[in-house]
Amino acid sequence: MLSLIKTSIPPKEVLMPRLEQVLYSGYVAQGEVVEQFERKFEEFIGGGHTLSLNSGTAALHIALILAGVKEGDEVISTALTAEPTNVAIKMVGAKVRWADVDIKTGNISAKAIEKVINSKTKAIIVVDYAGIPVDVKGIQEISEKYNVPVIEDAAHALGAKYNGRKTGCHFPFTVYSFQAIKHLTTVDGGALQILDRDLYEKGKLIRWFGLDKKLTRMENNISIQGYKYHMNNVNATIGLIQLEGIDELIQKYIDNGKYLDEQLKGIPGVELIEYYENTEPSYWLYTLKVDHREKFIEKMANHGIMASELHKRNDLHTFLNDFPAHLPNLDLFYDRMVHIPCGWWVTKEDCDKMITLIKSGW
């Protein structure tokens, strides 16, 4: 079965010597290797300050705290995402307010965000779903108009671009996941890209119990709530090795995605995703809309190819559905949405097989 998602691990002869070096160095906790990873990740992104963490969920949690979201506040978000995006909102005691998606992309709509902003709105979470960049310009305009900070969940979108600049450069906070199946994995982990230096320094305190690691324990005075959210030297070592080949790896996703974009045009029963002007997806998944989705998935499976909608709509989770909303665009989009493989493990022959199968109908 050609899998929809797959973990990329460096070759044994590259990975293991450097892992052994750190494992037997006598220091496996957060240290100099973590610092090195953060600085290298900043270079890759091309802007902001990297706060490495033990998960993308921790990054979302800290971003919400730094954005000033408190108990009883509201955060506007999308129901088309993995659950951690919205579970994190509940972690700060806030409530989730749904905004509808853009029918052309599946991403949260700037117009829909504006319709649900109110006096309790303290942040907006946008998701570059499946590696497709959001409407950066439209959302920036809403953020500035209402003075509400934006948190970009780019867990699927490492290397995606707007106006030639990568995710991480466009909003105050950008969240990355380095969980097992993402473009870059540290086995598990995440990062928060923060544009403001002072907020970055505050984030470092929140990451580690409220303690300042530049001071001794006896010199410290905890003044804010902190957590045990740090990355360690072992995960950071894996991350450093992954960064050495990340451009080539992401390019494999992009090459496959662009090829599918070109070859799947004009097929009856298939509607391709439209991308916003001046955006470049990183194609963590290849997303399309099809008629009779269950039959499509069945046909692909019968020919050894995994296809799936992958994520459950978050508004179907009772815990997350604080304000049940009519989301007509999401209804239409979700009923036809499906993902097919396009990652680093997918060959041109695999792509051609999928294209032939789709062209033959289902």
Side-chain angles (χ1 to χ4, degrees):
M1 182 74 75
L2 183 65
S3 60
L4 189 61
I5 47 182
K6 194 171 183 178
T7 301
S8 173
I9 295 293
K12 182 178 180 180
E13 61 273 17
V14 174
L15 178 64
M16 295 312 296
R18 288 167 68 175
L19 266 184
E20 288 181 4
Q21 184 179 9
V22 72
L23 285 169
Y24 296 103
S25 67
Y27 202 97
V28 296
Q30 180 190 342
E32 181 59 33
V33 183
V34 171
E35 289 283 335
Q36 291 172 14
F37 173 71
E38 290 177 339
R39 303 295 79 79
K40 287 292 184 183
F41 192 74
E42 286 169 358
E43 288 178 21
F44 172 76
I45 297 300
H49 309 281
T50 300
L51 187 73
S52 64
L53 299 157
N54 59 19
S55 70
T57 308
L60 284 161
H61 189 193
I62 292 179
L64 287 159
I65 294 169
L66 293 176
V69 181
K70 296 182 172 58
E71 186 172 358
D73 291 339
E74 293 183 14
V75 177
I76 295 172
S77 187
T78 177
L80 184 56
T81 184
E83 287 83 357
T85 303
N86 294 309
V87 168
I89 296 171
K90 309 291 278 190
M91 289 165 68
V92 293
K95 295 183 178 181
V96 185
R97 176 76 68 176
W98 303 121
D100 206 354
V101 301
D102 183 335
I103 193 69
K104 296 178 180 179
T105 66
N107 281 339
I108 194 168
S109 159
K111 290 180 179 178
I113 291 170
E114 187 164 24
K115 286 180 181 178
V116 295
I117 282 183
N118 62 67
S119 60
K120 292 187 176 181
T121 305
K122 294 300 183 289
I124 301 163
I125 292 183
V126 302
V127 177
D128 303 305
Y129 187 72
I132 301 166
V134 294
D135 177 10
V136 175
K137 183 174 183 291
I139 291 165
Q140 285 176 335
E141 289 172 354
I142 298 297
S143 173
E144 291 168 9
K145 181 177 177 180
Y146 294 92
N147 194 30
V148 178
V150 174
I151 298 166
E152 180 179 20
D153 184 339
H156 296 175
L158 185 67
K161 296 178 181 178
Y162 168 68
N163 275 346
R165 301 195 72 195
K166 293 172 183 167
T167 58
C169 298
H170 310 298
F171 296 108
F173 311 101
T174 305
V175 171
Y176 295 98
S177 171
F178 305 138
Q179 185 260 351
I181 56 175
K182 299 304 191 295
H183 287 104
L184 184 153
T185 181
T186 57
V187 177
D188 212 349
L192 178 59
Q193 201 73 4
I194 305 170
L195 296 186
D196 182 86
R197 180 79 196 192
D198 290 339
L199 289 177
Y200 169 66
E201 293 297 333
K202 184 177 180 181
K204 287 200 284 189
L205 297 179
I206 297 170
R207 173 175 66 180
W208 182 249
F209 303 115
L211 293 166
D212 185 342
K213 290 183 76 70
K214 295 191 294 292
L215 304 174
T216 68
R217 288 294 178 99
M218 299 305 294
E219 293 171 319
N220 259 286
N221 173 37
I222 294 175
S223 58
I224 58 173
Q225 174 68 57
Y227 302 87
K228 192 177 188 294
Y229 280 168
H230 67 290
M231 183 178 281
N232 61 56
N233 280 357
V234 180
N235 294 115
T237 297
I238 298 171
L240 280 167
I241 299 168
Q242 297 280 44
L243 279 172
E244 291 170 5
I246 195 62
D247 289 309
E248 293 82 1
L249 184 134
I250 291 174
Q251 193 61 47
K252 291 178 181 177
Y253 286 81
I254 293 171
D255 289 345
N256 284 336
K258 287 183 174 180
Y259 185 64
L260 291 169
D261 279 342
E262 185 60 35
Q263 297 298 317
L264 294 176
K265 289 178 181 176
I267 300 174
V270 173
E271 184 180 350
L272 301 186
I273 301 299
E274 296 182 30
Y275 310 127
Y276 295 109
E277 187 177 2
N278 298 322
T279 64
E280 301 173 48
S282 58
Y283 297 95
W284 182 63
L285 300 166
Y286 188 83
T287 309
L288 62 163
K289 293 182 278 183
V290 298
D291 296 342
H292 313 298
R293 181 175 62 197
E294 294 309 313
K295 290 183 178 179
F296 178 93
I297 291 172
E298 182 181 2
K299 176 171 182 176
M300 300 300 276
N302 287 340
H303 289 83
I305 296 165
M306 186 178 293
S308 171
E309 60 270 51
L310 195 64
H311 293 117
K312 179 177 179 176
R313 287 177 55 151
N314 281 199
D315 57 337
L316 298 181
H317 292 288
T318 305
F319 180 63
L320 301 176
N321 204 23
D322 295 315
F323 301 104
H326 179 46
L327 304 170
N329 283 355
L330 180 58
D331 293 340
L332 293 169
F333 188 92
Y334 191 82
D335 284 349
R336 300 182 67 215
M337 176 193 77
V338 70
H339 308 298
I340 58 176
C342 77
W344 59 269
W345 61 98
V346 178
T347 65
K348 184 177 182 296
E349 290 72 26
D350 292 328
C351 288
D352 287 335
K353 179 180 177 180
M354 290 188 286
I355 291 159
T356 299
L357 286 169
I358 293 169
K359 285 182 175 180
S360 67
W362 54 93

